[in-house]
Amino acid sequence: MSRKLGLCLSLVFILGLTGCWDNKDINHRMMPVVLGITKDQEDYKLFLQIPKTTGGVMQTTIVSETGSTINQIIDKMSANLESDIDLLHTKVIVVDRKLAEEGMKDLISGFMRSRDVPSKALLAISQNDIENFFSALENQEHTEETVLLDFFEKNAGWNPQIPLTRVWQVYHSIHSYTKDVSIAMISKDNDSICEFVGGAVIKNGKMVDVLDTNETLLYNAFNDESNQGKIEVLDEGSVMILGNRMNHESKMVNGRPYFHSTLQLNVMVLETREEASSEEIKKSLTALLQERYEIMFSKIQSREADILGIGQFFRKEISRKELKGWRSKYYPELVFKQDIKINIQNEGNLKMPSGKES
């Protein structure tokens, strides 16, 4: 009896080992790094930048197709290609501006449900017509498949003012009462693959406004992204940011939210004009950043888009039921105060005026 039972169990385990019947060899899979999406009337139009080796040289080709859903498009593409398409290695998703303004809620939700696209893939919005954008990618003389990815890589072409927003973050913001996001907007430049033109303000999955490059720098700083390396030019000279840190305080007074934020910047003086002192440089830089913060916050508050996630700090003071009305009821009444503290850590090879040093 025990032998028969053991034999049956062995057969069950052996049959279980055949569960990889649908796996395909890596040589029979196409793994696009960049994916582009736009709308063609009621249908989606998908663009894939697919790497392939020709004569020992890595090159890329652009494949496009239309359909009512992303999965349908992938099925169509796979049927017309010699290999299956695997989106699990997608690193960057570029969305057409018109689609972003129309709303990406269904698109992002579809990504998260199907899990065909990695939730950590970076999102960008194309200011140009996306078909022209991908045509330009294919016609470039370079052969590196990661050229657009490098634009967002911190160890390659990324700059401190470029927001790095992933699929899961947009999905989270769509279902959050207190948190919106900003997505990098790019444009095809005459001299390069793409140019960073600002940050799209995304509210409930829909693009409602655009931040300029200076405002996205503050957005990144608020979210504790390093601003190291950014150069600010003033009338008194220029400085380079070495590091930044944020501190926040929140409170409710008579049912009205108050938020106090402090930005601490460590900077290095690169050059001075007309013997400007350290105090004069600090004062000028503080005034410049204060003005930018006021303009940025006024813009996003008028759109009821909380991309700074300030509502997160009031979860203890406001009940979950009341938080549903954060954007429309509390956020427009928010009193926002921003303080900026500048610390000149290193003056490089410059010698500041001795009588004016702080």
Side-chain angles (χ1 to χ4, degrees), residues 209-348:
D209 213 325
V210 181
L211 304 179
D212 64 28
T213 56
N214 291 323
E215 291 165 348
T216 54
L217 181 74
L218 300 180
Y219 167 78
N220 278 345
F222 195 94
N223 288 290
D224 287 327
E225 287 285 351
S226 175
N227 285 181
Q228 184 177 0
K230 180 67 172 68
I231 296 176
E232 295 288 351
V233 179
L234 314 167
D235 291 337
E236 293 77 12
S238 62
V239 299
M240 182 172 67
I241 298 175
L242 301 177
N244 55 280
R245 188 174 63 182
M246 298 290 295
N247 293 309
H248 310 295
E249 295 178 4
S250 60
K251 62 181 179 179
M252 295 289 292
V253 180
N254 297 324
R256 186 173 188 178
Y258 286 76
F259 190 79
H260 180 202
S261 180
T262 302
L263 170 62
Q264 297 178 329
L265 279 181
N266 295 324
V267 303
M268 178 178 72
V269 178
L270 297 179
E271 60 181 344
T272 59
R273 298 171 186 166
E274 299 180 358
E275 296 186 350
S277 67
S278 297
E279 282 301 322
E280 289 171 336
I281 291 175
K282 285 183 182 180
K283 184 177 180 181
S284 180
L285 182 58
T286 300
L288 176 66
L289 296 179
Q290 287 276 18
E291 181 182 12
R292 288 179 184 173
Y293 255 114
E294 290 172 5
I295 293 173
M296 179 192 69
F297 185 73
S298 176
K299 181 185 294 186
I300 60 178
Q301 189 179 38
S302 66
R303 295 291 188 177
E304 296 182 0
D306 190 4
I307 63 172
L308 300 180
I310 295 176
Q312 304 274 2
F313 294 89
F314 292 91
R315 287 182 172 270
K316 292 183 178 179
E317 289 83 3
I318 304 175
S319 67
R320 180 171 177 79
K321 183 178 180 180
E322 288 293 318
L323 276 175
K324 291 182 179 180
W326 166 256
R327 292 184 179 94
S328 59
K329 180 181 178 180
Y330 293 99
Y331 188 53
E333 299 296 320
L334 175 70
V335 178
F336 179 84
K337 181 182 178 183
Q338 179 68 52
D339 285 340
I340 297 174
K341 297 181 179 180
I342 307 295
N343 176 32
I344 298 181
Q345 276 194 343
N346 188 345
E347 295 165 356

Side-chain angles (χ1 to χ4, degrees), residues 65-336:
E65 186 58 84
T66 59
S68 57
T69 67
I70 302 299
N71 287 328
Q72 183 190 37
I73 296 173
I74 295 301
D75 285 341
K76 280 185 178 182
M77 287 181 169
S78 295
N80 297 324
L81 295 171
E82 66 275 12
S83 300
D84 270 1
I85 296 175
D86 185 353
L87 297 181
L88 289 177
H89 293 271
T90 303
K91 303 297 183 184
V92 181
I93 301 173
V94 184
V95 180
D96 184 71
R97 177 169 181 162
K98 290 182 181 179
L99 175 56
E101 291 174 338
E102 180 182 328
M104 301 179 290
K105 187 174 182 179
D106 292 340
L107 179 68
I108 298 298
S109 297
F111 285 156
M112 297 299 291
R113 280 196 302 269
S114 68
R115 298 188 180 182
D116 289 332
V117 176
S119 61
K120 62 182 181 180
L122 289 165
L123 278 167
I125 294 176
S126 173
Q127 181 140 298
N128 305 111
D129 179 86
I130 203 166
E131 189 163 356
N132 294 334
F133 182 83
F134 273 83
S135 295
L137 285 179
E138 187 175 35
N139 293 331
Q140 290 294 318
E141 295 181 358
H142 59 77
T143 59
E144 294 184 16
E145 63 177 274
T146 60
V147 65
L148 187 58
L149 175 61
D150 286 346
F151 185 78
F152 296 96
E153 287 288 340
K154 289 189 175 182
N155 60 353
W158 180 81
N159 285 317
Q161 63 266 39
I162 300 177
L164 300 177
T165 306
R166 304 181 187 277
V167 171
W168 72 265
Q169 291 173 310
V170 179
Y171 180 78
H172 177 265
S173 72
I174 291 172
H175 298 278
S176 173
Y177 301 141
T178 56
K179 176 67 175 174
D180 296 303
V181 293
S182 177
I183 297 177
M185 288 194 66
I186 58 178
S187 173
K188 177 65 184 74
D189 190 26
N190 293 329
D191 301 322
S192 60
I193 291 298
C194 60
E195 175 188 8
F196 174 65
V197 295
V201 178
I202 307 297
K203 175 187 174 184
N204 290 327
K206 182 181 291 187
M207 176 177 164
V208 296
D209 213 325
V210 181
L211 304 179
D212 64 28
T213 56
N214 291 323
E215 291 165 348
T216 54
L217 181 74
L218 300 180
Y219 167 78
N220 278 345
F222 195 94
N223 288 290
D224 287 327
E225 287 285 351
S226 175
N227 285 181
Q228 184 177 0
K230 180 67 172 68
I231 296 176
E232 295 288 351
V233 179
L234 314 167
D235 291 337
E236 293 77 12
S238 62
V239 299
M240 182 172 67
I241 298 175
L242 301 177
N244 55 280
R245 188 174 63 182
M246 298 290 295
N247 293 309
H248 310 295
E249 295 178 4
S250 60
K251 62 181 179 179
M252 295 289 292
V253 180
N254 297 324
R256 186 173 188 178
Y258 286 76
F259 190 79
H260 180 202
S261 180
T262 302
L263 170 62
Q264 297 178 329
L265 279 181
N266 295 324
V267 303
M268 178 178 72
V269 178
L270 297 179
E271 60 181 344
T272 59
R273 298 171 186 166
E274 299 180 358
E275 296 186 350
S277 67
S278 297
E279 282 301 322
E280 289 171 336
I281 291 175
K282 285 183 182 180
K283 184 177 180 181
S284 180
L285 182 58
T286 300
L288 176 66
L289 296 179
Q290 287 276 18
E291 181 182 12
R292 288 179 184 173
Y293 255 114
E294 290 172 5
I295 293 173
M296 179 192 69
F297 185 73
S298 176
K299 181 185 294 186
I300 60 178
Q301 189 179 38
S302 66
R303 295 291 188 177
E304 296 182 0
D306 190 4
I307 63 172
L308 300 180
I310 295 176
Q312 304 274 2
F313 294 89
F314 292 91
R315 287 182 172 270
K316 292 183 178 179
E317 289 83 3
I318 304 175
S319 67
R320 180 171 177 79
K321 183 178 180 180
E322 288 293 318
L323 276 175
K324 291 182 179 180
W326 166 256
R327 292 184 179 94
S328 59
K329 180 181 178 180
Y330 293 99
Y331 188 53
E333 299 296 320
L334 175 70
V335 178
F336 179 84

